[in-house]
Amino acid sequence: MDAQEIIAFISNAKKVTPVKAYIKGKELKKSDFSHFAEVYHGSDFVIICDEYALLDTFIAEHGEYHLSRIELDRRNSAVPLVDYTKINARIEPGVFIRDRVSIGNNCVIMMGAVINIGAEIGVNTMIDMNVVVGGRVSIGAGCHIGAGSVLAGVIEPPSATPVVIEDGVVMGANAVVLEGVRIGKNSVVGAGAVVINDVPPNSVVAGVPAKVIKIVDEKTKGKTTIVDALRSL
């Protein structure tokens, strides 16, 4: 998706505040809950899962009921989370992946990672713990994005160029890649580096701002080997 398509999708999307509510009352069985998306009854309580506005109206009209608890994790959200069952990858707990993303086969998405709308991730790539993959970022196949790294998103301004990580790139922990930067194929980005300029293929960069310190050699390859066994499903 390009920036304008994402902007249109978010602008036109129905904004939702899904909630789970626990309601107590002696006369609950006399009420009609059929218009709610999900309802679970007990002897003197009911659990309702639906849009907040519908629940708020219902409670206002039924003063005899007691709203004992309400749970929600978003407010006026425009982009749902992706359906994980449609992704042929290993996705660990605590991950947030928004809709309209592309994730290749046998990827690994580790705990705490956030992947924003419009991102594309190639096959056999690992997104390590607490990585932020911004909107429209493109990551190639067989990459490793180190824990805590940030790949800048570019939904706004729409004219900005997205980050591109080519195939076989290995990034150390807590690296940052700014908008518009392209990391060339089989390159290595050192831990904590801040990359503000394009990186040629087969290069090793490090520092703030990141600079090329050498060409990838056999020693570097030995330290940055991608392990296929971690990606098998």
Side-chain angles (χ1 to χ4, degrees):
M1 300 178 73
D2 64 29
Q4 293 297 343
E5 289 174 327
I6 292 174
I7 291 168
F9 175 78
I10 293 173
S11 298
N12 297 325
K14 180 181 178 181
K15 311 305 186 289
V16 297
T17 306
V19 299
K20 178 189 289 185
Y22 301 78
I23 300 172
K24 292 183 178 180
K26 295 181 179 179
E27 304 296 327
L28 284 170
K29 292 184 179 180
K30 296 181 180 181
S31 294
D32 179 14
F33 298 100
S34 61
H35 59 290
F36 289 111
E38 294 182 58
V39 178
Y40 305 93
H41 278 283
S43 59
D44 62 348
F45 74 94
V46 65
I47 301 172
I48 298 174
C49 301
D50 210 322
E51 173 63 23
Y52 174 75
L54 291 174
L55 175 69
D56 196 40
T57 300
F58 178 82
I59 293 298
E61 295 174 350
H62 295 79
E64 68 272 23
Y65 298 154
H66 173 58
L67 178 61
S68 59
R69 182 175 179 182
I70 186 169
E71 298 175 355
L72 70 158
D73 63 359
R74 69 203 75 183
R75 178 65 169 156
N76 295 321
S77 178
V79 183
L81 299 180
V82 74
D83 182 355
Y84 291 167
T85 65
K86 306 299 183 184
I87 300 174
N88 186 35
R90 175 158 66 91
I91 301 174
E92 297 296 347
V95 168
F96 287 91
I97 306 176
R98 301 183 87 187
D99 200 10
R100 303 300 177 98
V101 303
S102 174
I103 297 178
N105 291 336
N106 298 93
C107 284
V108 179
I109 316 296
M110 294 296 287
M111 297 81 72
V114 176
I115 302 174
N116 204 357
I117 185 171
E120 299 179 355
I121 301 174
V123 298
N124 298 315
T125 283
M126 179 181 288
I127 307 298
D128 215 331
M129 294 182 295
N130 299 317
V131 169
V132 175
V133 179
R136 298 175 60 211
V137 168
S138 175
I139 303 174
C143 296
H144 180 108
I145 310 301
S149 295
V150 176
L151 309 181
V154 288
I155 297 172
E156 186 179 57
S159 59
T161 303
V163 168
V164 176
I165 310 296
E166 295 185 0
D167 296 348
V169 169
V170 175
M171 295 180 58
N174 298 313
V176 175
V177 182
L178 299 190
E179 65 180 46
V181 169
R182 176 181 288 268
I183 308 294
K185 188 175 181 179
N186 298 324
S187 289
V188 176
V189 178
V194 177
V195 188
I196 63 174
N197 296 309
D198 290 353
V199 176
N202 301 300
S203 300
V204 180
V205 298
V208 181
K211 296 181 179 179
V212 176
I213 57 174
K214 67 175 185 177
I215 301 300
V216 172
D217 53 21
E218 291 304 316
K219 183 177 180 180
T220 304
K221 291 179 181 179
K223 292 181 177 181
T224 58
T225 302
I226 298 296
V227 181
D228 290 336
L230 294 176
R231 291 153 173 78
S232 60
L233 300 179

